[in-house]
Amino acid sequence: QVQLVESGGGLVQAGGSLRLSCAASGIIFGKNDMGWYRQGPGLQRELVATVTEGGSTAYANSVKGRFTISRDNAKNTVTLQMDSLKPEDTDVYYCNSKGPSFYIPSAHGEHWGQGTQVTVSS
């Protein structure tokens, strides 16, 4: 089965840092684009940061300069380093993958982690 297992969420004061990690299994990690989303105020999850299979990164305007996404293909892990945190960053954060899995290698599948809570106090 495909699994995206997140860790690193918690409580931090404004201006502090957290590092979220997502360990993936079942997907062909090196051929997947990876991303972090947060719940946001609406029904649709909000894109925070992405890193492609080629290593290109992109960020939401609200987190540019503060968050850094990276991947370690040897460990099948994607990380979100969150610095200068603000109370408005408080949310549930989700790991996302887009690309093939070992079970359906030719398909562009999408999977989600379970979510991890980030709370920033003022």
Side-chain angles (χ1 to χ4, degrees), residues 50-58 69:
T50 60
V51 56
T52 70
E53 63 175 296
S56 298
T57 59
I69 190 170

Side-chain angles (χ1 to χ4, degrees), residues 38-103:
R38 59 192 181 192
Q39 187 63 59
L43 296 178
Q44 296 187 116
R45 292 173 181 173
E46 173 184 290
L47 176 67
V48 176
T50 60
V51 56
T52 70
E53 63 175 296
S56 298
T57 59
Y59 300 89
N61 288 334
S62 59
V63 307
K64 284 181 180 177
R66 300 189 298 118
F67 292 7
T68 304
I69 190 170
S70 61
R71 65 191 298 154
D72 186 341
N73 288 353
K75 296 183 177 181
N76 289 359
T77 300
V78 60
T79 298
L80 185 68
Q81 178 66 43
M82 309 165 69
D83 298 320
S84 302
L85 283 162
K86 304 175 181 180
E88 50 262 46
D89 294 319
T90 295
D91 216 325
V92 179
Y93 286 71
Y94 298 88
C95 181
N96 171 267
S97 69
K98 295 179 181 177
S101 70
F102 288 104
Y103 311 101

